[in-house]
Amino acid sequence: MSNDFSRLENESVKDYKVRICSNKEQYNLSWENVKNILNEELGEKHGESKYRKEWYAFKDGMDYQKDKSNNYDVGVSGERFTLRSTLDAPKITAGVLNTGEFVKANPKEDDEELPPYKETTEILKDGMQRSDKLVWMNQQQRKDPDFLLEAHGYDPKEWELTSSKSSMWNQHNKKHGTVILYSSKISVKPNASKFDWEGLVKDIEGYQHPAPLVEFKGHKDDTYRTLNIPLFDLHFGINTFEDYHSTLHKILNILENNTYKEIIIPIGQDGLHNNDFNGQTANGTRVDKVDMVKAWDDMHKFYNYIIDAALESSEIVKIVFSSGNHDFSLGWSFVKMLEAEYGKSENAYRMGFDTRVKERKAFLLGNVFIGITHGDKARKNAAALFSVEFPQYWAQSKTREVYMGHLHRKRATKKETELIHDSEGIIVRELGTGNKIDQYHEDNGYTMAHREFEIFEYDKDKKTHIYYV
C-alpha cells in the first residue's frame, strides 16, 4: 500500500478515517478504493457504504457545528445521534481533521416527541412495494438509495429502489428546538441483479474433483445402443443429494451393467430451484428461498457420479445445456463449469458439450430423433416446431421423440405428423419428476403426479427400453 494511504504514527483510527475520506478527491479515490484502503489498514471487512454513510453524516454534523453549539442531532442510518466534540474546536493539521465521536441518543425518548404520522406499506403486483414514513436524514442521505432502503426497513441486497420522493418537515420541541424531518415515500422491487457471486465462486474454487482419466470399461462390438438421461425438474435446493440417493443408485446400476455407443445427458431444466440468492426464478417470480451454495454443491456431486459412470460404460458422452424457467442463468453456468472441469481433462476426446442458449435442441442417436425443450414456452406446438426447425434430422430419422418437463407430470401423446408421411409419427413426452413437492406446488394442488424419473434406451432405429428411476 502506498505510504500516502498508510496510518500515520500517533494518528487515531478516527483521525485516519477522516483524513482518507476528506482527501478522497485529492487522492483520486472512489468509495470502493476508500473501502479497500481502510479495511486493509484497520483489519476490517466493511462494505463501502458503511464508510460513505459515516463520512457524509460526520461532514454534515461538522458543517452544522460551525454555526451551532457543540451538542446537536444529525441523522445517521435513520436514527438519532449526538455529536460530542472532544476538542474545543476542530483543527486541521497536515491534512488531518481532529474531530469528535458519534454517540447514539435515546431513540425511545426522541420518538416520543416525533409529530404524529401515519406510516404505510403497500404490497403491489409483481412483488413491488411502496413505503411511506417519517425519516431523520440529511441532504446526502436523501440521495443515497441504500440509506433510503435501510431507513424503510429493506435490505439493499434484496431490494432495488425504483422511485423516491421526500418532503421537508420542520418540527419544534423543547428538547431539540427546531429539527428537520422528511416525509419519505419510496417504491421498491425485488432485486435480482445483486447476485452474491462471491460465495458461490469461492465454493466452486474449493472443489477438489480433478476429473481424472476414466477408461471405457465396456466392450466394442457391432451392437448399436444409446442412452438418454433426461432428468427434468430436479430442483436442487428443495431437494438434496441425499433425497436423490436412490435415484442415483438406480442410474449407476444401469450404467454399470450395460455398454453404449453414446450417452446424452441434458442438464438444466430447473435442476436448481432458484436463479439467484434471493429466492427468485429466472422470470423474477418469488419462490421458496433456498441455500444455493449447498444446492450447487449437491447437484455437482450428483452429476459427477453420473458423468464418471457414463464415461466408463459409453464410448461417447455428450452434456447438453437445456434451459429451464427456474434456473436459466445458473443452469447455463453450471454446464459451463462442467465443460471447464471435464473439457480440459484426459476424458475430453470422448466428450462433447452443447452450451448454446436455445429454447429447443435436437440430436440424432443413430436414426432416432431426440428433441429437448423445457415446456414452459410454445408447449402446444412442440411437434410442429421441431419438424420445421430441424428438418435435416427429421428427414434422416426413423423414430422421433420430443421430451419436455415443467409441469411435473407424466403424459405421452402420439400424433401422425401432417408434414411427413411417416407411419411411426412423433411422440411428445411430458416427463414427470421424482422431486419433493415444494410450497408453490402444494399450495396449488399439484400433488397427485407419480414421483419418478425416466431414462430411455435405443438401438439404431428405435426405442428399446424405458427405465424408471
Side-chain angles (χ1 to χ4, degrees):
M1 185 166 59
S2 170
N3 291 333
D4 290 341
F5 303 143
S6 299
R7 184 176 166 191
L8 303 177
E9 186 177 357
N10 298 324
E11 185 177 25
S12 70
V13 171
K14 294 171 186 175
D15 287 344
Y16 174 62
K17 287 182 179 180
V18 171
R19 176 167 64 85
I20 296 299
C21 293
S22 63
N23 291 289
K24 171 177 168 290
E25 301 299 330
Q26 178 182 341
Y27 291 151
N28 195 27
L29 300 174
S30 66
W31 281 111
E32 188 69 18
N33 298 143
V34 170
K35 176 204 76 173
N36 292 335
I37 291 168
L38 294 180
N39 280 349
E40 180 179 349
E41 186 71 14
L42 302 177
E44 300 289 353
K45 296 182 179 180
H46 299 309
E48 61 87 17
S49 62
K50 175 178 175 61
Y51 295 118
R52 173 166 46 86
K53 292 173 184 177
E54 285 183 349
W55 168 247
Y56 283 138
F58 167 78
K59 185 175 181 299
D60 189 67
M62 293 306 298
D63 290 342
Y64 189 78
Q65 190 186 35
K66 292 178 183 178
D67 301 319
K68 300 293 180 180
S69 66
N70 287 336
N71 293 300
Y72 56 89
D73 299 312
V74 292
V76 178
S77 300
E79 299 175 322
R80 183 77 63 78
F81 285 77
T82 299
L83 177 67
R84 295 177 181 171
S85 177
T86 57
L87 301 175
D88 294 336
K91 299 178 181 179
I92 299 179
T93 305
V96 179
L97 181 63
N98 296 311
T99 63
E101 58 180 325
F102 288 105
V103 179
K104 190 173 181 181
N106 187 335
K108 182 177 180 181
E109 178 183 335
D110 291 337
D111 290 344
E112 291 176 353
E113 299 191 31
L114 288 176
Y117 192 86
K118 185 178 180 181
E119 296 185 0
T120 61
T121 301
E122 298 178 72
I123 299 177
L124 310 174
K125 293 181 178 179
D126 301 324
M128 295 188 66
Q129 296 188 16
R130 274 199 297 254
S131 175
D132 182 359
K133 67 182 299 184
L134 206 58
V135 178
W136 294 88
M137 58 183 169
N138 56 39
Q139 291 292 331
Q140 287 85 2
Q141 290 164 339
R142 289 178 64 190
K143 303 172 185 177
D144 186 336
D146 285 352
F147 170 82
L148 290 171
L149 287 168
E150 291 175 348
H152 283 261
Y154 294 98
D155 185 344
K157 292 183 179 180
E158 298 189 7
W159 296 89
E160 179 182 348
L161 185 70
T162 59
S163 67
S164 170
K165 182 179 180 181
S166 57
S167 303
M168 185 180 296
W169 283 43
N170 287 328
Q171 190 243 347
H172 184 82
N173 59 59
K174 295 180 180 179
K175 179 179 180 181
H176 302 294
T178 300
V179 295
I180 298 175
L181 306 174
Y182 287 92
S183 168
S184 177
K185 301 176 182 179
I186 65 171
S187 296
V188 300
K189 66 178 182 180
N191 191 344
S193 62
K194 290 187 177 180
F195 192 94
D196 183 15
W197 290 102
E198 185 176 347
L200 184 57
V201 170
K202 183 177 180 181
D203 196 66
I204 293 172
E205 290 175 345
Y207 290 142
Q208 298 300 316
H209 185 78
L213 175 64
V214 180
E215 295 183 358
F216 173 55
K217 295 183 179 179
H219 56 277
K220 296 182 179 181
D221 53 31
D222 294 333
T223 304
Y224 194 97
R225 300 173 70 205
T226 59
L227 192 69
N228 178 20
I229 309 178
L231 305 176
F232 285 13
D233 299 292
L234 286 160
H235 289 268
F236 276 101
I238 294 295
N239 303 268
T240 66
F241 178 82
E242 289 72 24
D243 292 327
Y244 287 133
H245 187 268
S246 175
T247 295
L248 179 60
H249 177 75
K250 293 175 183 177
I251 295 172
L252 297 181
N253 187 59
I254 294 168
L255 294 172
E256 183 179 351
N257 291 284
N258 294 279
T259 298
Y260 300 99
K261 290 287 186 181
E262 186 174 338
I263 294 177
I264 287 184
I265 308 175
I267 298 178
Q269 292 287 356
D270 292 352
L272 295 163
H273 189 63
N274 295 164
N275 198 48
D276 59 19
F277 280 75
N278 300 321
Q280 296 185 104
T281 68
N283 298 325
T285 304
R286 305 287 291 188
V287 292
D288 307 74
K289 186 175 179 179
V290 301
D291 183 345
M292 288 302 295
V293 172
K294 184 180 188 307
W296 184 285
D297 190 43
D298 282 351
M299 185 170 168
H300 185 229
K301 182 164 57 174
F302 179 80
Y303 274 111
N304 276 159
Y305 276 109
I306 293 175
I307 294 170
D308 289 351
L311 286 167
E312 289 185 355
S313 64
S314 179
E315 297 178 41
I316 299 172
V317 176
K318 290 184 178 178
I319 310 298
V320 180
F321 166 62
S322 183
S323 61
N325 65 302
H326 271 247
D327 66 343
F328 186 94
S329 298
L330 280 193
W332 178 84
S333 301
F334 184 86
V335 176
K336 292 297 289 184
M337 179 195 69
L338 292 178
E339 182 181 30
E341 181 179 7
Y342 284 93
K344 296 179 181 179
S345 72
E346 296 179 85
N347 309 304
Y349 76 100
R350 294 197 293 123
M351 300 190 71
F353 290 86
D354 183 347
T355 61
R356 295 173 300 154
V357 181
K358 296 287 186 181
E359 188 66 33
R360 289 169 291 280
K361 292 185 177 181
F363 306 89
L364 281 180
L365 291 178
N367 296 319
V368 179
F369 179 101
I370 304 295
I372 301 171
T373 185
H374 186 56
D376 58 311
K377 300 181 181 68
R379 190 179 190 89
K380 294 181 180 180
N381 299 324
L385 285 170
F386 275 97
S387 68
V388 172
E389 293 179 5
F390 304 96
Q392 184 176 358
Y393 292 162
W394 192 274
Q396 294 178 26
S397 57
K398 294 184 178 180
T399 297
R400 305 179 185 91
E401 297 206 359
V402 171
Y403 302 88
M404 64 173 65
H406 181 59
L407 296 183
H408 297 203
R409 70 184 184 193
K410 293 174 59 176
R411 183 170 68 180
T413 58
K414 188 170 183 179
K415 298 181 180 179
E416 292 290 327
T417 175
E418 298 176 358
L419 303 178
I420 299 175
H421 296 293
D422 186 333
S423 61
E424 304 217 19
I426 179 173
I427 295 178
V428 179
R429 293 188 178 275
E430 295 183 356
L431 300 182
T433 178
N435 72 0
K436 287 180 182 177
I437 298 172
D438 62 17
Q439 193 63 48
Y440 172 83
H441 287 83
E442 181 177 330
D443 291 345
N444 288 275
Y446 304 142
T447 58
M448 296 185 289
H450 290 79
R451 293 178 57 213
E452 61 187 12
F453 297 103
E454 296 170 75
I455 293 176
F456 302 87
E457 186 176 292
Y458 319 89
D459 62 18
K460 192 168 185 179
D461 296 326
K462 63 184 181 302
K463 179 173 63 275
T464 57
H465 294 85
I466 299 178
Y467 298 99
Y468 295 97
V469 298

